[in-house]
Amino acid sequence: MGRGSGFGKTILFGEHFVVHGVPGIASAVDSAAEAEVKKSQKGINVTDERSGAKGYAEKKKLQQLESIERMLAAMSMDPKKVAIDIWLGGNLPGFSGLGASAASSVAIARAIAEEFNIDLPDERINDIAYEAEKAYAGNPSGIDNTAATFGGLIWFKKNMGGGSNTIEQLSIREPVEIVIGNTGIVANTKAMVAGVAERKKQNPEKYDAIFGQAEKLAHEGRKALEEFDLRKVGELMNENHRLLQEIEVSCKELDYLVDLAREQGAFGAKMTGGGGGGCMLALTPGKDLQEKVASAMEDEGFKVLRTKIGIQKG
Ligand code: MEV
């Protein structure tokens, strides 16, 4: 049997803008998807036992199968001839926006490689997971699979010319508590990404100005993280959320959770990932603030994840 895992992630700055070449910052969270792969008799059979994944897994089933076929093709295997049983689990909840699809793709690619005795460096796993991500995101930037493969805190810039993307590991003084709040709405990342591209085409002036602000914000966010100025990081996250509202990828449930987190004292809050549902992220340094914000969301009936950004990988 082959085994593999992939990190969950949260985007601190730049989701959607990264698809168009603006830099973004993502952090792995301390939860991962795990996969086991066994050669079998017929077809590709997936058993998805990720926690909280029921609705998520059902809605994403077709995209998941397409992603596995893409992955096999990227590994020079014929999806029609491969017979494997895949088990998915791990402690990364199946929330939209936490990079669950990329984490599972990385886990599955690693498990397939082990089961078929193929020696693949992380760079190749990342490329294979990127191919798989196309099934979920249509035209992904690559930030999710990069965070899922390498972990850590990542500065990411897509190379719009098709060459290698810029990937830098950032370091911060110490890990910082965050709360991920889940709207409970399973979002369609592919539709959200396509919607932004369409609106950008229709309103180039408006969108170019917003994209310019997002670029500036990513650089300021990097500086604030490296200087460990968490108040500033929070302010910039708030600003990032405003830009995401302007490009119409937030929704009332995300805005509600963002406002709630800020009222409870979060240093900053924003949606994270594709939007249109899925998750938001609140910066809540210290266990007490994290607990306050998390339980306020739980009291309103939302599911949350208490985790940290900036955890060193390994
Ligand atoms: C999804 O987690 C992040 C998006 O920017 C899509 C992508 O970068 O591939 C919305």
Side-chain angles (χ1 to χ4, degrees):
M1 185 201 307
R3 289 198 170 89
S5 72
F7 296 100
K9 68 95 200 26
T10 183
I11 297 182
L12 297 175
F13 295 104
E15 51 276 272
H16 284 290
F17 304 109
V18 278
V19 172
H20 304 269
V22 170
I25 301 177
S27 176
V29 295
D30 60 353
S31 306
E34 310 280 344
E36 291 177 2
V37 169
K38 240 189 345 221
K39 287 179 198 154
S40 71
Q41 301 302 317
K42 198 166 175 275
I44 299 166
N45 311 295
V46 183
T47 307
D48 198 335
E49 291 184 352
R50 286 176 291 170
S51 70
K54 208 174 169 303
Y56 176 84
E58 276 159 16
K59 289 220 168 122
K60 302 255 168 175
K61 225 175 173 56
L62 276 180
Q63 292 182 348
Q64 185 180 58
L65 195 62
E66 185 193 331
S67 80
I68 296 165
E69 288 173 356
R70 283 179 168 278
M71 200 183 299
L72 289 166
M75 294 166 98
S76 307
M77 296 164 100
D78 183 347
K80 293 205 174 55
K81 293 196 182 135
V82 174
I84 44 175
D85 289 340
I86 300 174
W87 171 87
L88 270 179
N91 60 358
L92 179 67
F95 296 174
S96 288
L98 268 188
S101 62
S104 66
S105 296
V106 167
I108 295 171
R110 285 184 167 139
I112 293 175
E114 191 174 292
E115 175 69 349
F116 288 87
N117 290 315
I118 314 169
D119 192 17
L120 294 178
D122 279 349
E123 286 69 21
R124 277 287 297 140
I125 293 287
N126 193 25
D127 290 345
I128 292 163
Y130 177 68
E131 283 307 311
E133 269 297 280
K134 288 181 183 168
Y136 294 102
N139 171 31
S141 63
I143 193 169
D144 284 16
N145 47 278
T146 300
T149 303
F150 298 106
L153 183 65
I154 285 178
W155 172 263
F156 178 91
K157 186 170 175 7
K158 181 177 180 167
N159 183 333
M160 298 305 283
S164 302
N165 299 322
T166 305
I167 301 168
E168 283 177 55
Q169 283 284 345
L170 305 180
S171 55
I172 54 172
R173 199 196 298 156
E174 60 191 51
V176 183
E177 288 79 3
I178 58 165
V179 178
I180 306 275
N182 184 8
T183 60
I185 301 167
V186 179
N188 183 343
T189 309
K190 203 179 202 163
M192 299 308 292
V193 169
V196 173
E198 182 55 33
R199 290 189 290 281
K200 187 172 187 297
K201 212 163 83 191
Q202 300 299 331
N203 312 286
E205 263 175 38
K206 176 180 170 195
Y207 273 65
D208 285 353
I210 300 173
F211 275 58
Q213 292 172 46
E215 170 122 33
K216 186 163 167 277
L217 219 126
H219 286 279
E220 288 173 358
R222 176 178 180 156
K223 184 164 176 280
L225 282 164
E226 289 179 332
E227 290 173 353
F228 208 66
D229 184 348
L230 299 181
R231 286 280 173 201
K232 184 76 189 168
V233 175
E235 270 171 37
L236 295 168
M237 283 169 56
N238 290 342
E239 183 56 17
N240 196 163
H241 184 69
R242 195 185 58 74
L243 298 182
L244 290 162
Q245 285 174 316
E246 281 193 38
I247 63 166
E248 298 177 41
V249 290
S250 191
C251 63
K252 68 176 188 322
E253 293 81 359
L254 282 167
D255 292 344
Y256 177 78
L257 285 173
V258 163
D259 289 344
L260 180 64
R262 290 178 190 155
E263 277 159 30
Q264 295 297 318
F267 282 27
K270 62 183 276 291
M271 56 158 272
T272 185
C279 290
M280 52 71 70
L281 153 74
L283 186 69
T284 54
K287 279 252 159 257
D288 290 348
L289 182 57
Q290 183 186 44
E291 194 47 44
K292 186 165 182 256
V293 172
S295 44
M297 289 182 195
E298 283 173 333
D299 288 348
E300 298 288 324
F302 293 96
K303 289 212 166 60
V304 305
L305 180 71
R306 296 161 174 82
T307 183
K308 289 182 180 177
I309 54 162
I311 301 163
Q312 288 312 304
K313 54 187 184 136

